[in-house]
Amino acid sequence: FFSNCHKVDQQKGMQHPAGKFYVQAVVMLGSAFFTSLAAIFVGWSVSYGTAGKTTVGLWTYCVDTMDAIHTTTCKNHDLSGISVVGSDTKCQTYFRGTQVVSIVTTAVLVPNIIMLVITAIKVWYQQKLLILGSLLLTIVSLTASILAIIFWVIFSQTPCVGVLPTSVTSPLEGYSIGFILECVTAGLIQFSWILQAVGAFVASKKKVKVPVYEEAPALVIPTDGFYVY
């Protein structure tokens, strides 16, 4: 598939100079999709309380009692009752904000990747609307990913008031794999945007001369006053 993106127009038998940038951008966005999807379902921070170690994710929190067999219990967040955000309005706002924008990041990456693949395939034809659309979607997904990181940092560093689980201390004491994956996601999306921008620049500025082959003239053979074509 990607070899087709690299060659793009086999009829012309030439590789477009911008093709390699778009292929690399597709790989970056594809990787970002998987890291953002994984980040949604794993823990983002850790906390140490009287009941043990708690890993806090976007939808659940898991308590490891730190005993010999590391007994672990996971529960869904109940923001209306005992929860990791307590009853603090500020904590709840940034916590819910992280949930929303992390989903937006993953959701926007899907049409973004599709549009970028089409752009790579049709790079010879300089589809300006596709190029601009892909760049804009990449900016949207990058913005959402960065907001998820910012919201979580504010939430995790804010002392939340209210009724918290006994295993949770507030503010939280560190970051876990989910937060790291979201940071990786933002980095991949940013690199993809740069590659797309370079590809768009090359596609618009570098004039590729495509050889045009003219048909050979018909062979005329005189035969007794008649011409055979």
Side-chain angles (χ1 to χ4, degrees):
F1 174 77
F2 288 114
S3 63
N4 290 335
C5 295
H6 241 323
K7 294 179 181 178
V8 182
D9 197 336
Q10 294 179 353
Q11 292 180 349
K12 294 182 175 66
M14 296 179 63
Q15 175 183 321
H16 196 289
K20 61 183 179 181
F21 296 108
Y22 286 122
V23 171
Q24 293 170 10
V26 170
V27 173
M28 289 286 184
L29 275 192
S31 301
F33 171 77
F34 288 110
T35 55
S36 66
L37 183 63
I40 293 175
F41 299 104
V42 296
W44 281 52
S45 283
V46 294
S47 175
Y48 295 90
T50 56
K53 175 185 175 182
T54 300
T55 303
V56 180
L58 298 181
W59 317 106
T60 62
Y61 64 97
C62 297
V63 182
D64 181 353
T65 57
M66 304 296 287
D67 56 14
I69 59 174
H70 285 274
T71 304
T72 303
T73 304
C74 294
K75 295 182 180 180
N76 294 325
H77 291 304
D78 179 13
L79 301 188
S80 61
I82 299 175
S83 71
V84 296
V85 300
S87 57
D88 193 298
T89 303
K90 180 180 179 181
C91 287
Q92 289 197 5
T93 299
Y94 285 110
F95 185 84
R96 291 182 185 276
T98 306
Q99 291 177 321
V100 171
V101 292
S102 62
I103 292 176
V104 169
T105 301
T106 306
V108 173
L109 281 173
V110 175
N112 196 175
I113 292 170
I114 294 173
M115 188 172 290
L116 185 56
V117 168
I118 298 173
T119 302
I121 293 173
K122 294 183 176 292
V123 65
W124 274 99
Y125 307 103
Q126 296 188 22
Q127 300 290 323
K128 293 182 179 180
L129 289 179
L130 281 174
I131 293 173
L132 290 175
S134 180
L135 286 170
L136 288 175
L137 283 179
T138 305
I139 292 175
V140 172
S141 58
L142 176 59
T143 302
S145 182
I146 292 175
L147 284 175
I149 295 169
I150 294 173
F151 288 168
W152 190 264
V153 169
I154 295 174
F155 160 69
S156 63
Q157 298 301 317
T158 299
C160 300
V161 298
V163 183
L164 279 69
T166 56
S167 60
V168 175
T169 58
S170 184
L172 302 176
E173 299 175 11
Y175 299 99
S176 190
I177 185 66
F179 180 81
I180 296 172
L181 285 173
E182 194 63 42
C183 292
V184 172
T185 297
L188 289 170
I189 296 174
Q190 184 174 8
F191 279 120
S192 177
W193 189 90
I194 293 172
L195 289 168
Q196 290 178 59
V198 173
F201 176 80
V202 173
S204 62
K205 296 298 182 181
K206 189 174 181 61
K207 303 300 181 182
V208 180
K209 295 182 179 180
V210 180
V212 178
Y213 301 98
E214 297 180 356
E215 294 184 1
L219 180 63
V220 180
I221 304 175
T223 57
D224 298 329
F226 297 94
Y227 290 89
V228 178
Y229 292 87

